[in-house]
């Protein structure tokens, strides 16, 4: 199950991602926001991060205007490794090397076409289970 969350700045891109996930028959839960009305991104970052830590969802996708604030907030939650990615190489590397469990993006930084490629890469790349990467993740926590 994939947890989704955005603020008003990421709402429209989140709708594009929802359509993509439906097309791919992937299970997801939308933790909000539900409109383009101004709201505070930390609320949604915490909802998604807590759903992952609680085991309700396996991975998450967070979107705000830049992706910066929402990823910083998510990373405050113990057990979360949120990675801000605006290209497919970073999405692949963070899954392989960091076992990132949340993808963060900025809707004002990437367009929907690239964003969907980033999502696809993030969701379809496995953690390498390489000893050195495991050691580094343990050092992070």
């Amino acid at each position: 199950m994939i947890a989704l969350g955005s603020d008003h700045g990421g709402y429209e891109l989140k709708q594009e991602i929802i359509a993509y996930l439906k097309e791919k028959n992937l299970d997801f839960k939308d933790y909000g926001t539900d409109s383009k009305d101004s709201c505070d991104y930390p609320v949604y970052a915490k909802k998604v991060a807590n759903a992952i830590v609680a085991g309700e969802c396996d991975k998450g996708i967070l979107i705000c205007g830049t992706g910066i604030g929402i990823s910083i907030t998510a990373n405050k939650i113990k057990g979360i490794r949120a990675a801000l990615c605006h290209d497919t190489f970073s999405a692949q590397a963070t899954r392989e090397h960091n076992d990132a469990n949340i993808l963060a993006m900025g809707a004002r930084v990437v367009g929907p076409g690239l964003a969907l490629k980033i999502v696809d890469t993030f969701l379809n790349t496995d953690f390498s289970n390489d000893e050195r990467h495991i050691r580094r993740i343990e050092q992070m926590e």
Side-chain angles (χ1 to χ4, degrees):
M1 176 87 65
I2 302 158
L4 299 175
S6 74
D7 69 356
H8 56 284
Y11 175 77
E12 288 183 4
L13 181 55
K14 185 178 67 169
Q15 298 314 301
E16 298 272 351
I17 292 169
I18 287 171
Y20 170 83
L21 296 175
K22 286 180 178 177
E23 178 184 308
K24 298 290 184 183
N25 293 313
L26 296 172
D27 292 330
F28 67 90
K29 182 171 180 184
D30 184 358
Y31 287 87
T33 190
D34 299 321
S35 75
K36 293 189 284 182
D37 295 340
S38 183
C39 62
D40 299 325
Y41 60 80
V43 171
Y44 306 100
K46 289 176 184 178
K47 286 182 181 186
V48 167
N50 287 326
I52 292 169
V53 170
E56 298 166 15
C57 296
D58 303 309
K59 293 179 184 164
I61 301 171
L62 290 170
I63 309 153
C64 66
T66 63
I68 297 168
I70 210 161
S71 64
I72 290 171
T73 303
N75 278 318
K76 299 282 186 183
I77 308 296
K78 185 173 174 53
I80 293 301
R81 289 177 305 283
L84 175 58
C85 299
H86 292 138
D87 59 80
T88 57
F89 175 77
S90 297
Q92 178 181 344
T94 199
R95 285 291 306 129
E96 288 177 349
H97 298 186
N98 310 121
D99 198 17
N101 48 17
I102 293 180
L103 167 65
M105 292 186 291
R108 296 180 186 133
V109 180
V110 296
L114 177 56
L116 296 180
K117 290 177 184 173
I118 294 167
V119 167
D120 186 65
T121 301
F122 184 83
L123 295 178
N124 291 301
T125 302
D126 293 325
F127 177 54
S128 69
N129 278 312
D130 183 288
E131 201 173 289
R132 65 192 165 127
H133 297 308
I134 293 169
R135 181 179 67 248
R136 292 170 185 159
I137 290 168
E138 288 171 352
Q139 290 175 17
M140 281 186 228
E141 296 187 4

